[in-house]
Amino acid sequence: MSEHGFGAAVRPREDLVLLRGERDYTADIVKPGMVHMEFLRSSHGHAKINGIDVSAALAMPGVLRIVTAADLEGHLMPLPCIWVPGGVESHFPPHPYGVPGAGTALATDRVRFIGDPVAAVVAETRAQAAEAARAIAVDYEVLTAVTTPEEALAEGAPQLHETVPGNLNALWTCGDKESTDKAIADAPVVVELDLHNRRTINSPLEPRAAIGEYDPRTGDYTLTATSQSPHNHRFLIAALVLGIPFTKLRVVSPGIGGSFGTKGYLYPDMPLVLFLAKEVGRPVKWADDRRGLMRSTVQGRDHRQYATIAGTRDGKITALRCTSYANLGAYPSTIGPGVATALMGRSITGTYDIEHAFCEVYATFTNVVPLGAQRGSGRAEATFLIERLVDRFAAAVGMDPADVRRKNIIRPGQQPFDNRMGWLYDSGDYGQALETALAAAGYADREAARRSARERGKLLGFGIASFVAVCGVGPSPRIAEEGMLGGSWESANIRVHPTGETTLTIGVTTTGQSHETTFGQIVADEFGVDLDTVQVLHSDTSRAPYGQGTYGSRSFSVGGPAVRIAARQVTDKMRAVAAHLFKVNVEQVVFEGGKAFVPGDDGKTKTFQDLAMAIWYGWDLPAGMEPAIDETTTFDPADFNYPYGAHVAIVEVDEVTGDVELVRYVAVNDVGKVGNPLVVDGQIEGSIVHGVGQALMEVARYDESGELLTDNLHKYAIPRAADVPFFELDRTETATPHNPLGAKGAGEAATVPVAAAVTNAVCDALAEFGITHLDMPLTPETVWRAMGTARAGREASR
């Protein structure tokens, strides 16, 4: 490992620009002649549109154009959905190309959630567009709304989409139902748990934004947008929405202020700003605000689950069954159905060897904001389920929760391990991670810690969560089996200039993960050059090779190997040229430390720059070799990769107020080979904070009409620095065999166990009250009421 190469703790070179506030985000960009678009959004959760009157709005100052769904007929096709529940019958809104539809850019005859776009206004200023949008008169006929899957599936519930009978997108299953039911029936210990993994709102620093441009001379469109998948957005918009040639659309994604999964989706604003730019003959910009983001950008989690775990009295788990009702919201988001089914259902057995397991998911449409990915999506919900169940099972058999985990955890010698639900875990020592975390947390001394806390009027609890998370979306044939309508390979291009400097262009896009540093480190390491000589380009479809984008913790573990393969093609070419110049066989030439040489012969050495210049000149190259160095590669992994770990949360609960303080948090993670420890630790710390937010404070609350009651940061709490302790991090490194870097996903894996660890800790602290489970978020009021109810029950029983 060189000072700046793969594995080195290099401070991200993006940091200074970010800290100075010098990064350009989409909302900062001003184009010559630019005008502004604003939406009129539905004020009803479910209503029929009888008519729209835009006449008053059109007469207002600065207004250039107003469009409704009627104006888009023949110009914009419906939005598509590209991840369907795999292997089962599913139902979607229509799309003329036969792919699953995801609703229209503007509502046609009906609105289906509060925030559904009804009309778009273009005006000279943003304020003028917003004022005109408020002046549009819509004649609504209010209909009954349903906000939960069980309501939507009930007999007589209002039908949201004509092509989706009973509002059921799909009934998806995995595992062996018959054997699982029998194992539960035969088990001496059976524990049932009903829980609600509540809906939460993604809160990136930067809301979404888009700018559309059209050049009438060439017919070319340019979309500048907050996109974590610009290449996929280019294809979806060009081919499936606008119906224009692929080559006529360029998508650029400038700086992105975080995403957590929200910015990989195709939203109505993207094709609309392009269409309207052509209509008005000027660039059209739309920028959301915080309230708009919370009412229209995809939300996360939201599973109502009914689960059963069974086993023997000595702590062996023999069966696991789950029925989950997934709330897809009003429309299928671009990949929402896949997130709610496969990523959750196939993950419910966690790190445990459970012989019999079965999961069924009712993916259902309701009158709330569409569901999408959120950091750790699917895997976090599954891990919360199994880790809560393990604690409940431990209590039922009278064992320590750690000992039940030890008894059932998958052993290193069982790897690769078929979890019997569709995942083949690749590698790892899950038990080692658990023991390391327990030791670091002082688990053996927990009773002394409890007594100390009790003296201060606090109830102390320890919570354990072991996890494994499917990451690194790929390979393409495997993800296709899960219903993904597209590939999941990645690409890279390397050009070496005659000066010895290098330009690396990658297909993945950064949303804050320091790609310009970490991907540059791979090249610097392979070439033996200084990191400052490696330029990294990305996020512009006019110059980057096609890439699938940043999601599912795949950037470094799928895009990174493509970079290494391209770099080694370059060094192979340099070795061949060096062998030609040295007049030796290529097998005799070694490339190492920034030079090609023949070991033991000091006269036969060429530096990286020497060879770059020689190849560029092309004066003396091996027969058939082309001058210049320009290598493009793709990489499609052999299988997914599976980061894992164990976390321990220690909380103190105030028995008077119900306030929960997270006093310590120990996290042991294994993300395979680490490209940059500083960057990975930053990702892990952010992931933990994300999970703490869900456990203790975050919840999207809707009323019966579908009104989002938590649509600003005064009403929707997110963690602040004072809400979390300094995290105690450790790691093991187990390389995945599925890519040449050995790297596993790191961007979201550490979110997966956090809510379970914190909830287990709170329930442990409250055990003396007989409280066995509380649904998140564990706010002071929730905890205080639970303790009060328990006290009242005790008093009544005396």
mmCIF file of all heavy atoms in Angstrom, residues 80 82 208 223 225-242 246 249-253 256 261-267 270-271 274 334 509 541 546-549:
data_model
loop_
_atom_site.group_PDB
_atom_site.id
_atom_site.type_symbol
_atom_site.label_atom_id
_atom_site.label_comp_id
_atom_site.label_asym_id
_atom_site.label_seq_id
_atom_site.Cartn_x
_atom_site.Cartn_y
_atom_site.Cartn_z
ATOM 1 N N PRO A 80 -42.126 5.109 -15.875
ATOM 2 C CA PRO A 80 -42.024 3.652 -15.767
ATOM 3 C C PRO A 80 -41.553 3.200 -14.389
ATOM 4 O O PRO A 80 -40.921 3.947 -13.640
ATOM 5 C CB PRO A 80 -40.952 3.322 -16.813
ATOM 6 C CG PRO A 80 -40.038 4.524 -16.761
ATOM 7 C CD PRO A 80 -40.903 5.718 -16.437
ATOM 8 N N ILE A 82 -39.158 0.049 -12.880
ATOM 9 C CA ILE A 82 -38.208 -0.914 -13.447
ATOM 10 C C ILE A 82 -37.802 -2.017 -12.469
ATOM 11 O O ILE A 82 -36.882 -2.777 -12.742
ATOM 12 C CB ILE A 82 -36.953 -0.219 -13.993
ATOM 13 C CG1 ILE A 82 -36.203 0.524 -12.881
ATOM 14 C CG2 ILE A 82 -37.311 0.710 -15.132
ATOM 15 C CD1 ILE A 82 -34.811 0.973 -13.303
ATOM 16 N N ARG A 208 -34.415 18.055 -3.935
ATOM 17 C CA ARG A 208 -34.223 17.791 -5.360
ATOM 18 C C ARG A 208 -34.355 19.068 -6.199
ATOM 19 O O ARG A 208 -34.994 20.038 -5.781
ATOM 20 C CB ARG A 208 -35.232 16.755 -5.846
ATOM 21 C CG ARG A 208 -35.056 15.387 -5.215
ATOM 22 C CD ARG A 208 -35.972 14.348 -5.822
ATOM 23 N NE ARG A 208 -37.366 14.661 -5.619
ATOM 24 C CZ ARG A 208 -38.180 15.137 -6.552
ATOM 25 N NH1 ARG A 208 -37.726 15.367 -7.776
ATOM 26 N NH2 ARG A 208 -39.442 15.389 -6.279
ATOM 27 N N LEU A 223 -30.484 17.821 -19.404
ATOM 28 C CA LEU A 223 -31.088 17.835 -18.076
ATOM 29 C C LEU A 223 -29.972 17.910 -17.046
ATOM 30 O O LEU A 223 -29.106 17.035 -16.990
ATOM 31 C CB LEU A 223 -31.918 16.567 -17.847
ATOM 32 C CG LEU A 223 -32.501 16.396 -16.433
ATOM 33 C CD1 LEU A 223 -33.552 17.465 -16.149
ATOM 34 C CD2 LEU A 223 -33.083 14.998 -16.250
ATOM 35 N N ALA A 225 -29.616 17.803 -13.087
ATOM 36 C CA ALA A 225 -30.532 17.396 -12.022
ATOM 37 C C ALA A 225 -29.801 16.705 -10.886
ATOM 38 O O ALA A 225 -28.665 16.239 -11.039
ATOM 39 C CB ALA A 225 -31.605 16.452 -12.583
ATOM 40 N N THR A 226 -30.486 16.634 -9.767
ATOM 41 C CA THR A 226 -29.992 15.889 -8.607
ATOM 42 C C THR A 226 -30.251 14.407 -8.847
ATOM 43 O O THR A 226 -31.204 13.833 -8.336
ATOM 44 C CB THR A 226 -30.711 16.357 -7.330
ATOM 45 O OG1 THR A 226 -32.128 16.368 -7.586
ATOM 46 C CG2 THR A 226 -30.288 17.744 -6.931
ATOM 47 N N SER A 227 -29.378 13.787 -9.606
ATOM 48 C CA SER A 227 -29.573 12.394 -10.017
ATOM 49 C C SER A 227 -28.414 11.546 -9.549
ATOM 50 O O SER A 227 -27.260 11.830 -9.880
ATOM 51 C CB SER A 227 -29.682 12.298 -11.541
ATOM 52 O OG SER A 227 -29.561 10.946 -11.964
ATOM 53 N N GLN A 228 -28.710 10.481 -8.811
ATOM 54 C CA GLN A 228 -27.657 9.544 -8.449
ATOM 55 C C GLN A 228 -27.505 8.442 -9.494
ATOM 56 O O GLN A 228 -26.654 7.570 -9.346
ATOM 57 C CB GLN A 228 -27.918 8.955 -7.065
ATOM 58 C CG GLN A 228 -29.157 8.110 -6.931
ATOM 59 C CD GLN A 228 -29.464 7.732 -5.499
ATOM 60 O OE1 GLN A 228 -29.931 8.542 -4.731
ATOM 61 N NE2 GLN A 228 -29.186 6.481 -5.138
ATOM 62 N N SER A 229 -28.307 8.511 -10.567
ATOM 63 C CA SER A 229 -28.202 7.537 -11.666
ATOM 64 C C SER A 229 -28.413 8.255 -13.001
ATOM 65 O O SER A 229 -29.406 8.005 -13.701
ATOM 66 C CB SER A 229 -29.242 6.421 -11.498
ATOM 67 O OG SER A 229 -29.060 5.722 -10.295
ATOM 68 N N PRO A 230 -27.524 9.157 -13.391
ATOM 69 C CA PRO A 230 -27.769 9.957 -14.610
ATOM 70 C C PRO A 230 -27.902 9.131 -15.878
ATOM 71 O O PRO A 230 -28.694 9.472 -16.760
ATOM 72 C CB PRO A 230 -26.570 10.911 -14.669
ATOM 73 C CG PRO A 230 -25.556 10.346 -13.740
ATOM 74 C CD PRO A 230 -26.291 9.578 -12.704
ATOM 75 N N HIS A 231 -27.147 8.052 -16.004
ATOM 76 C CA HIS A 231 -27.245 7.231 -17.214
ATOM 77 C C HIS A 231 -28.592 6.530 -17.300
ATOM 78 O O HIS A 231 -29.211 6.475 -18.368
ATOM 79 C CB HIS A 231 -26.107 6.212 -17.251
ATOM 80 C CG HIS A 231 -24.753 6.825 -17.365
ATOM 81 N ND1 HIS A 231 -24.199 7.210 -18.560
ATOM 82 C CD2 HIS A 231 -23.846 7.145 -16.401
ATOM 83 C CE1 HIS A 231 -22.999 7.721 -18.349
ATOM 84 N NE2 HIS A 231 -22.764 7.698 -17.051
ATOM 85 N N ASN A 232 -29.054 5.989 -16.171
ATOM 86 C CA ASN A 232 -30.365 5.349 -16.172
ATOM 87 C C ASN A 232 -31.476 6.370 -16.396
ATOM 88 O O ASN A 232 -32.457 6.090 -17.107
ATOM 89 C CB ASN A 232 -30.594 4.609 -14.852
ATOM 90 C CG ASN A 232 -29.823 3.303 -14.789
ATOM 91 O OD1 ASN A 232 -29.369 2.787 -15.807
ATOM 92 N ND2 ASN A 232 -29.661 2.768 -13.600
ATOM 93 N N HIS A 233 -31.352 7.541 -15.806
ATOM 94 C CA HIS A 233 -32.347 8.577 -16.046
ATOM 95 C C HIS A 233 -32.370 8.988 -17.516
ATOM 96 O O HIS A 233 -33.435 9.240 -18.086
ATOM 97 C CB HIS A 233 -32.059 9.795 -15.161
ATOM 98 C CG HIS A 233 -32.563 9.631 -13.756
ATOM 99 N ND1 HIS A 233 -31.906 10.121 -12.653
ATOM 100 C CD2 HIS A 233 -33.671 9.007 -13.268
ATOM 101 C CE1 HIS A 233 -32.593 9.823 -11.568
ATOM 102 N NE2 HIS A 233 -33.657 9.148 -11.910
ATOM 103 N N ARG A 234 -31.216 9.045 -18.121
ATOM 104 C CA ARG A 234 -31.159 9.377 -19.557
ATOM 105 C C ARG A 234 -31.961 8.368 -20.374
ATOM 106 O O ARG A 234 -32.776 8.741 -21.231
ATOM 107 C CB ARG A 234 -29.703 9.386 -20.022
ATOM 108 C CG ARG A 234 -29.519 9.744 -21.486
ATOM 109 C CD ARG A 234 -28.086 9.498 -21.898
ATOM 110 N NE ARG A 234 -27.820 9.938 -23.268
ATOM 111 C CZ ARG A 234 -26.710 9.630 -23.944
ATOM 112 N NH1 ARG A 234 -25.775 8.882 -23.371
ATOM 113 N NH2 ARG A 234 -26.545 10.053 -25.174
ATOM 114 N N PHE A 235 -31.753 7.081 -20.095
ATOM 115 C CA PHE A 235 -32.469 6.053 -20.850
ATOM 116 C C PHE A 235 -33.967 6.106 -20.581
ATOM 117 O O PHE A 235 -34.782 6.076 -21.518
ATOM 118 C CB PHE A 235 -31.929 4.669 -20.499
ATOM 119 C CG PHE A 235 -32.770 3.548 -21.040
ATOM 120 C CD1 PHE A 235 -32.745 3.237 -22.388
ATOM 121 C CD2 PHE A 235 -33.614 2.824 -20.212
ATOM 122 C CE1 PHE A 235 -33.545 2.223 -22.906
ATOM 123 C CE2 PHE A 235 -34.406 1.814 -20.709
ATOM 124 C CZ PHE A 235 -34.372 1.509 -22.061
ATOM 125 N N LEU A 236 -34.345 6.171 -19.308
ATOM 126 C CA LEU A 236 -35.761 6.137 -18.962
ATOM 127 C C LEU A 236 -36.508 7.330 -19.545
ATOM 128 O O LEU A 236 -37.616 7.183 -20.080
ATOM 129 C CB LEU A 236 -35.935 6.095 -17.446
ATOM 130 C CG LEU A 236 -35.401 4.840 -16.734
ATOM 131 C CD1 LEU A 236 -35.536 4.985 -15.230
ATOM 132 C CD2 LEU A 236 -36.123 3.587 -17.223
ATOM 133 N N ILE A 237 -35.924 8.517 -19.432
ATOM 134 C CA ILE A 237 -36.599 9.716 -19.935
ATOM 135 C C ILE A 237 -36.668 9.710 -21.450
ATOM 136 O O ILE A 237 -37.723 9.977 -22.041
ATOM 137 C CB ILE A 237 -35.887 10.977 -19.420
ATOM 138 C CG1 ILE A 237 -36.035 11.098 -17.902
ATOM 139 C CG2 ILE A 237 -36.459 12.229 -20.096
ATOM 140 C CD1 ILE A 237 -35.160 12.176 -17.290
ATOM 141 N N ALA A 238 -35.545 9.410 -22.104
ATOM 142 C CA ALA A 238 -35.512 9.467 -23.567
ATOM 143 C C ALA A 238 -36.407 8.393 -24.180
ATOM 144 O O ALA A 238 -37.240 8.685 -25.047
ATOM 145 C CB ALA A 238 -34.079 9.303 -24.064
ATOM 146 N N ALA A 239 -36.235 7.159 -23.733
ATOM 147 C CA ALA A 239 -36.913 6.040 -24.394
ATOM 148 C C ALA A 239 -38.338 5.826 -23.916
ATOM 149 O O ALA A 239 -39.214 5.452 -24.718
ATOM 150 C CB ALA A 239 -36.105 4.762 -24.187
ATOM 151 N N LEU A 240 -38.606 6.063 -22.617
ATOM 152 C CA LEU A 240 -39.878 5.629 -22.053
ATOM 153 C C LEU A 240 -40.795 6.761 -21.613
ATOM 154 O O LEU A 240 -41.935 6.506 -21.225
ATOM 155 C CB LEU A 240 -39.616 4.699 -20.862
ATOM 156 C CG LEU A 240 -38.855 3.411 -21.182
ATOM 157 C CD1 LEU A 240 -38.634 2.587 -19.930
ATOM 158 C CD2 LEU A 240 -39.573 2.582 -22.243
ATOM 159 N N VAL A 241 -40.320 8.017 -21.668
ATOM 160 C CA VAL A 241 -41.196 9.128 -21.293
ATOM 161 C C VAL A 241 -41.332 10.127 -22.437
ATOM 162 O O VAL A 241 -42.434 10.385 -22.929
ATOM 163 C CB VAL A 241 -40.701 9.837 -20.011
ATOM 164 C CG1 VAL A 241 -41.670 10.973 -19.635
ATOM 165 C CG2 VAL A 241 -40.595 8.851 -18.857
ATOM 166 N N LEU A 242 -40.222 10.697 -22.896
ATOM 167 C CA LEU A 242 -40.296 11.674 -23.981
ATOM 168 C C LEU A 242 -40.402 11.024 -25.356
ATOM 169 O O LEU A 242 -40.902 11.635 -26.300
ATOM 170 C CB LEU A 242 -39.072 12.599 -23.955
ATOM 171 C CG LEU A 242 -38.975 13.578 -22.790
ATOM 172 C CD1 LEU A 242 -37.712 14.427 -22.934
ATOM 173 C CD2 LEU A 242 -40.196 14.474 -22.714
ATOM 174 N N PHE A 246 -32.153 8.385 -27.897
ATOM 175 C CA PHE A 246 -31.261 8.355 -26.738
ATOM 176 C C PHE A 246 -30.128 9.369 -26.895
ATOM 177 O O PHE A 246 -29.724 10.023 -25.926
ATOM 178 C CB PHE A 246 -30.709 6.931 -26.601
ATOM 179 C CG PHE A 246 -29.795 6.703 -25.443
ATOM 180 C CD1 PHE A 246 -30.289 6.636 -24.148
ATOM 181 C CD2 PHE A 246 -28.438 6.514 -25.647
ATOM 182 C CE1 PHE A 246 -29.447 6.394 -23.075
ATOM 183 C CE2 PHE A 246 -27.584 6.278 -24.578
ATOM 184 C CZ PHE A 246 -28.089 6.213 -23.287
ATOM 185 N N LEU A 249 -30.376 13.266 -25.700
ATOM 186 C CA LEU A 249 -30.505 13.701 -24.315
ATOM 187 C C LEU A 249 -29.184 13.523 -23.580
ATOM 188 O O LEU A 249 -28.584 12.451 -23.596
ATOM 189 C CB LEU A 249 -31.598 12.902 -23.588
ATOM 190 C CG LEU A 249 -31.776 13.204 -22.093
ATOM 191 C CD1 LEU A 249 -32.127 14.671 -21.858
ATOM 192 C CD2 LEU A 249 -32.839 12.294 -21.485
ATOM 193 N N ARG A 250 -28.764 14.589 -22.943
ATOM 194 C CA ARG A 250 -27.602 14.574 -22.048
ATOM 195 C C ARG A 250 -28.103 14.825 -20.622
ATOM 196 O O ARG A 250 -28.940 15.703 -20.414
ATOM 197 C CB ARG A 250 -26.609 15.660 -22.451
ATOM 198 C CG ARG A 250 -25.430 15.847 -21.510
ATOM 199 C CD ARG A 250 -24.677 17.122 -21.853
ATOM 200 N NE ARG A 250 -23.544 17.358 -20.985
ATOM 201 C CZ ARG A 250 -22.890 18.517 -20.904
ATOM 202 N NH1 ARG A 250 -23.264 19.556 -21.654
ATOM 203 N NH2 ARG A 250 -21.866 18.649 -20.087
ATOM 204 N N VAL A 251 -27.595 14.058 -19.668
ATOM 205 C CA VAL A 251 -27.953 14.263 -18.269
ATOM 206 C C VAL A 251 -26.684 14.555 -17.482
ATOM 207 O O VAL A 251 -25.695 13.809 -17.572
ATOM 208 C CB VAL A 251 -28.680 13.039 -17.677
ATOM 209 C CG1 VAL A 251 -28.983 13.274 -16.197
ATOM 210 C CG2 VAL A 251 -29.962 12.755 -18.438
ATOM 211 N N VAL A 252 -26.728 15.643 -16.735
ATOM 212 C CA VAL A 252 -25.594 16.075 -15.923
ATOM 213 C C VAL A 252 -26.048 16.146 -14.471
ATOM 214 O O VAL A 252 -27.097 16.723 -14.169
ATOM 215 C CB VAL A 252 -25.083 17.467 -16.364
ATOM 216 C CG1 VAL A 252 -23.891 17.890 -15.509
ATOM 217 C CG2 VAL A 252 -24.727 17.471 -17.838
ATOM 218 N N SER A 253 -25.251 15.571 -13.601
ATOM 219 C CA SER A 253 -25.549 15.635 -12.170
ATOM 220 C C SER A 253 -24.399 16.350 -11.472
ATOM 221 O O SER A 253 -23.337 15.766 -11.284
ATOM 222 C CB SER A 253 -25.723 14.217 -11.608
ATOM 223 O OG SER A 253 -26.066 14.275 -10.253
ATOM 224 N N ILE A 256 -24.136 16.845 -5.377
ATOM 225 C CA ILE A 256 -25.368 16.360 -4.753
ATOM 226 C C ILE A 256 -25.177 16.385 -3.244
ATOM 227 O O ILE A 256 -24.237 15.784 -2.713
ATOM 228 C CB ILE A 256 -25.718 14.940 -5.224
ATOM 229 C CG1 ILE A 256 -26.019 14.944 -6.720
ATOM 230 C CG2 ILE A 256 -26.917 14.391 -4.454
ATOM 231 C CD1 ILE A 256 -26.383 13.587 -7.274
ATOM 232 N N GLY A 261 -30.779 7.342 -1.086
ATOM 233 C CA GLY A 261 -31.653 6.559 -1.943
ATOM 234 C C GLY A 261 -32.692 7.367 -2.687
ATOM 235 O O GLY A 261 -33.271 6.888 -3.662
ATOM 236 N N THR A 262 -32.931 8.623 -2.285
ATOM 237 C CA THR A 262 -34.069 9.365 -2.831
ATOM 238 C C THR A 262 -33.856 9.871 -4.249
ATOM 239 O O THR A 262 -34.830 10.132 -4.953
ATOM 240 C CB THR A 262 -34.384 10.590 -1.956
ATOM 241 O OG1 THR A 262 -33.268 11.495 -1.994
ATOM 242 C CG2 THR A 262 -34.640 10.190 -0.525
ATOM 243 N N LYS A 263 -32.623 10.041 -4.681
ATOM 244 C CA LYS A 263 -32.364 10.741 -5.940
ATOM 245 C C LYS A 263 -32.023 9.800 -7.095
ATOM 246 O O LYS A 263 -31.528 10.232 -8.133
ATOM 247 C CB LYS A 263 -31.259 11.783 -5.723
ATOM 248 C CG LYS A 263 -31.729 12.882 -4.767
ATOM 249 C CD LYS A 263 -30.631 13.827 -4.328
ATOM 250 C CE LYS A 263 -31.192 14.848 -3.339
ATOM 251 N NZ LYS A 263 -30.139 15.694 -2.746
ATOM 252 N N GLY A 264 -32.340 8.526 -6.909
ATOM 253 C CA GLY A 264 -32.187 7.582 -8.005
ATOM 254 C C GLY A 264 -33.484 7.331 -8.739
ATOM 255 O O GLY A 264 -33.530 6.545 -9.686
ATOM 256 N N TYR A 265 -34.545 8.004 -8.326
ATOM 257 C CA TYR A 265 -35.875 7.762 -8.874
ATOM 258 C C TYR A 265 -36.190 8.763 -9.984
ATOM 259 O O TYR A 265 -35.647 9.868 -10.029
ATOM 260 C CB TYR A 265 -36.928 7.859 -7.763
ATOM 261 C CG TYR A 265 -36.782 6.738 -6.776
ATOM 262 C CD1 TYR A 265 -35.838 6.808 -5.757
ATOM 263 C CD2 TYR A 265 -37.531 5.585 -6.897
ATOM 264 C CE1 TYR A 265 -35.653 5.770 -4.877
ATOM 265 C CE2 TYR A 265 -37.366 4.534 -6.017
ATOM 266 C CZ TYR A 265 -36.423 4.630 -5.006
ATOM 267 O OH TYR A 265 -36.240 3.579 -4.153
ATOM 268 N N LEU A 266 -37.097 8.350 -10.864
ATOM 269 C CA LEU A 266 -37.572 9.232 -11.927
ATOM 270 C C LEU A 266 -38.812 9.953 -11.407
ATOM 271 O O LEU A 266 -39.838 9.328 -11.127
ATOM 272 C CB LEU A 266 -37.902 8.428 -13.179
ATOM 273 C CG LEU A 266 -38.412 9.229 -14.381
ATOM 274 C CD1 LEU A 266 -37.413 10.300 -14.788
ATOM 275 C CD2 LEU A 266 -38.680 8.288 -15.556
ATOM 276 N N TYR A 267 -38.702 11.265 -11.279
ATOM 277 C CA TYR A 267 -39.795 12.096 -10.773
ATOM 278 C C TYR A 267 -40.382 12.935 -11.902
ATOM 279 O O TYR A 267 -39.708 13.198 -12.916
ATOM 280 C CB TYR A 267 -39.279 13.029 -9.677
ATOM 281 C CG TYR A 267 -38.806 12.333 -8.431
ATOM 282 C CD1 TYR A 267 -37.461 12.026 -8.234
ATOM 283 C CD2 TYR A 267 -39.700 11.999 -7.409
ATOM 284 C CE1 TYR A 267 -37.019 11.404 -7.078
ATOM 285 C CE2 TYR A 267 -39.268 11.375 -6.249
ATOM 286 C CZ TYR A 267 -37.925 11.074 -6.085
ATOM 287 O OH TYR A 267 -37.498 10.462 -4.943
ATOM 288 N N MET A 270 -38.445 15.945 -13.829
ATOM 289 C CA MET A 270 -37.351 15.734 -14.776
ATOM 290 C C MET A 270 -37.810 15.837 -16.233
ATOM 291 O O MET A 270 -37.274 16.648 -16.995
ATOM 292 C CB MET A 270 -36.659 14.404 -14.485
ATOM 293 C CG MET A 270 -35.925 14.376 -13.156
ATOM 294 S SD MET A 270 -35.362 12.716 -12.740
ATOM 295 C CE MET A 270 -33.919 13.095 -11.754
ATOM 296 N N PRO A 271 -38.766 15.031 -16.666
ATOM 297 C CA PRO A 271 -39.218 15.206 -18.058
ATOM 298 C C PRO A 271 -39.963 16.520 -18.278
ATOM 299 O O PRO A 271 -39.928 17.070 -19.387
ATOM 300 C CB PRO A 271 -40.130 13.997 -18.288
ATOM 301 C CG PRO A 271 -40.580 13.579 -16.941
ATOM 302 C CD PRO A 271 -39.440 13.874 -16.020
ATOM 303 N N LEU A 274 -37.772 19.485 -19.249
ATOM 304 C CA LEU A 274 -37.299 19.324 -20.630
ATOM 305 C C LEU A 274 -38.399 19.679 -21.624
ATOM 306 O O LEU A 274 -38.171 20.422 -22.597
ATOM 307 C CB LEU A 274 -36.822 17.894 -20.846
ATOM 308 C CG LEU A 274 -35.588 17.467 -20.046
ATOM 309 C CD1 LEU A 274 -35.391 15.960 -20.122
ATOM 310 C CD2 LEU A 274 -34.349 18.201 -20.541
ATOM 311 N N THR A 334 -39.850 4.148 -8.931
ATOM 312 C CA THR A 334 -39.040 3.515 -9.979
ATOM 313 C C THR A 334 -38.578 2.110 -9.600
ATOM 314 O O THR A 334 -38.584 1.199 -10.430
ATOM 315 C CB THR A 334 -37.829 4.396 -10.304
ATOM 316 O OG1 THR A 334 -38.266 5.755 -10.490
ATOM 317 C CG2 THR A 334 -37.146 3.930 -11.577
ATOM 318 N N THR A 509 -21.964 7.726 -9.727
ATOM 319 C CA THR A 509 -22.096 9.132 -9.362
ATOM 320 C C THR A 509 -21.938 9.292 -7.865
ATOM 321 O O THR A 509 -22.419 8.461 -7.096
ATOM 322 C CB THR A 509 -23.489 9.648 -9.789
ATOM 323 O OG1 THR A 509 -23.601 9.532 -11.200
ATOM 324 C CG2 THR A 509 -23.693 11.096 -9.382
ATOM 325 N N THR A 541 -23.363 12.291 -18.675
ATOM 326 C CA THR A 541 -23.509 11.211 -19.658
ATOM 327 C C THR A 541 -22.811 11.510 -20.976
ATOM 328 O O THR A 541 -22.624 10.595 -21.783
ATOM 329 C CB THR A 541 -24.997 10.928 -19.941
ATOM 330 O OG1 THR A 541 -25.613 12.110 -20.497
ATOM 331 C CG2 THR A 541 -25.727 10.527 -18.674
ATOM 332 N N TYR A 546 -21.156 4.362 -19.752
ATOM 333 C CA TYR A 546 -22.463 4.041 -19.162
ATOM 334 C C TYR A 546 -22.266 3.349 -17.825
ATOM 335 O O TYR A 546 -21.495 2.404 -17.687
ATOM 336 C CB TYR A 546 -23.265 3.136 -20.092
ATOM 337 C CG TYR A 546 -24.742 3.113 -19.751
ATOM 338 C CD1 TYR A 546 -25.638 3.908 -20.450
ATOM 339 C CD2 TYR A 546 -25.228 2.343 -18.706
ATOM 340 C CE1 TYR A 546 -26.997 3.914 -20.134
ATOM 341 C CE2 TYR A 546 -26.566 2.342 -18.375
ATOM 342 C CZ TYR A 546 -27.444 3.130 -19.086
ATOM 343 O OH TYR A 546 -28.773 3.140 -18.757
ATOM 344 N N GLY A 547 -22.990 3.838 -16.836
ATOM 345 C CA GLY A 547 -22.944 3.238 -15.513
ATOM 346 C C GLY A 547 -24.341 3.179 -14.932
ATOM 347 O O GLY A 547 -25.210 3.976 -15.295
ATOM 348 N N GLN A 548 -24.554 2.256 -14.021
ATOM 349 C CA GLN A 548 -25.894 2.063 -13.464
ATOM 350 C C GLN A 548 -26.209 3.038 -12.342
ATOM 351 O O GLN A 548 -27.375 3.254 -12.033
ATOM 352 C CB GLN A 548 -26.035 0.631 -12.954
ATOM 353 C CG GLN A 548 -25.635 -0.429 -13.962
ATOM 354 C CD GLN A 548 -26.464 -0.399 -15.231
ATOM 355 O OE1 GLN A 548 -27.626 -0.036 -15.195
ATOM 356 N NE2 GLN A 548 -25.860 -0.757 -16.352
ATOM 357 N N GLY A 549 -25.176 3.618 -11.740
ATOM 358 C CA GLY A 549 -25.441 4.618 -10.714
ATOM 359 C C GLY A 549 -25.043 4.178 -9.331
ATOM 360 O O GLY A 549 -24.517 3.091 -9.104
#
